[in-house]
Amino acid sequence: MEAGLCTPCNIQICEVTCDSFRIMWDMTPEDTARATHFFIDLSRKDNRDPNRFKHRDVPTKLVAKAVPLPMAVRGHWFLSPRTEYCVAVQTAVRQPDGDYLVSEWSQVIEFCTGDYAIEHLEQLMDKAKGSAGRLLKFSVFYRNQHPDYFNHFRNQCGGWMTPALKDNSGSHGSPVNGKLHGVFFSCNTDFDTGLPAKDSPYGPLRFQIPAGQLLNQHINLYFADFYCMYTAYHYVVLVLAPVGLEGDSFCQTRLPRLDLASNPFLTYSAPQRPGEEPLFCHASDVILEVLYTEPVHLDLGKVEQIIGHQLMSLTTANAKKDPSCKVCNISVGR
């Protein structure tokens, strides 16, 4: 009777991306020479079934021919970005009758996949370009909030609106979620008037700041996300980062950078002649969420009562992206 296989031990996960990883473990020289296949059981941590499958059920999991370790794993489960997984392995020897001699299951290892890489964000950006309408002129960035919000910064922060950590709304794999600090602004305007909407679902006060205070030749502009929340409206998240500061350093290796003067979402055109003003334009047909990565002083703009209706309170905090939308989802690992 053929001797059994040792249980794989010292499981190691490395080179983790949003849709792949490499895995290795220790085997005895005898098992390394004998093993014909590896069985890998992978499941989301939050859906983990405590009953391990038996090897005859392997077709529902991954059966891989034995290869030198570490072994790359990608595509078999269409891994999701920034998601916790559990993984365990068996080694196996295929018998002449087609059955397998298998080891015991290894210990269960937990790991988390990574954020979207720049190439994935570029795919998402290409999708967003298809939804962005023609560019419209605008002159101010604005932020709608309740009185307590502005009173806090006046009374506790010397008038500075300080950056807050970006929440987890939007695409699950966006690198800015839960990692980049900033102050969110809007710039969308009414198609007919060219001014910000009179109504607001976010609060009865509006802070308006001249566009040139946040968008100018000393700023780098980055694309961060494109998503919807089970509605016909789509959101584009952009980052404005002053050149050379901490926010800019964070974005340089994680987000696609946009040309300030030529992109489909938000543009700044410098004056061409003395006395001319810069030209600022935003995309129509999408809702722009602009994250400015540095503190903004209230004295740079003005806070005024919104003259329209106070709409029903609305928040997009940690809102989930519609995973079935064909307009704003990309496929990774396929």
Side-chain angles (χ1 to χ4, degrees), residues 125 128 141 166 176 180 183-185 187 215 220-226 235-241 251 255-256 258 263-267 281-283 286-293:
M125 184 169 64
F141 288 98
K166 168 70 173 67
V176 301
L180 182 63
V183 182
F184 265 118
F185 288 92
C187 62
L215 182 58
N220 278 332
L221 175 64
Y222 297 92
F223 173 87
D225 203 1
F226 178 50
Y235 295 79
V236 172
V237 180
L238 304 174
V239 178
L240 292 178
C251 295
L255 304 179
L258 300 171
N263 72 81
F265 308 116
L266 183 69
T267 61
C281 294
H282 72 81
V286 292
I287 299 173
L288 294 181
E289 296 182 315
V290 181
L291 188 67
Y292 187 77
T293 60

Side-chain angles (χ1 to χ4, degrees), residues 81 116 120-121 123-125 127-128 166-174 177 223-231 233-237 316-332:
Y116 282 153
H120 300 124
L121 287 169
Q123 293 178 41
L124 198 61
M125 184 169 64
K127 290 258 188 177
K166 168 70 173 67
D167 64 17
N168 288 312
S169 61
S171 299
H172 200 47
S174 176
N177 289 349
F223 173 87
D225 203 1
F226 178 50
Y227 70 99
C228 71
M229 298 176 294
Y230 302 90
T231 67
Y233 300 101
H234 279 84
Y235 295 79
V236 172
V237 180
T316 59
N318 297 311
K320 301 301 181 185
K321 179 176 181 175
D322 179 0
S324 65
C325 180
K326 292 182 172 57
V327 174
C328 62
N329 282 286
I330 60 173
S331 298
V332 296

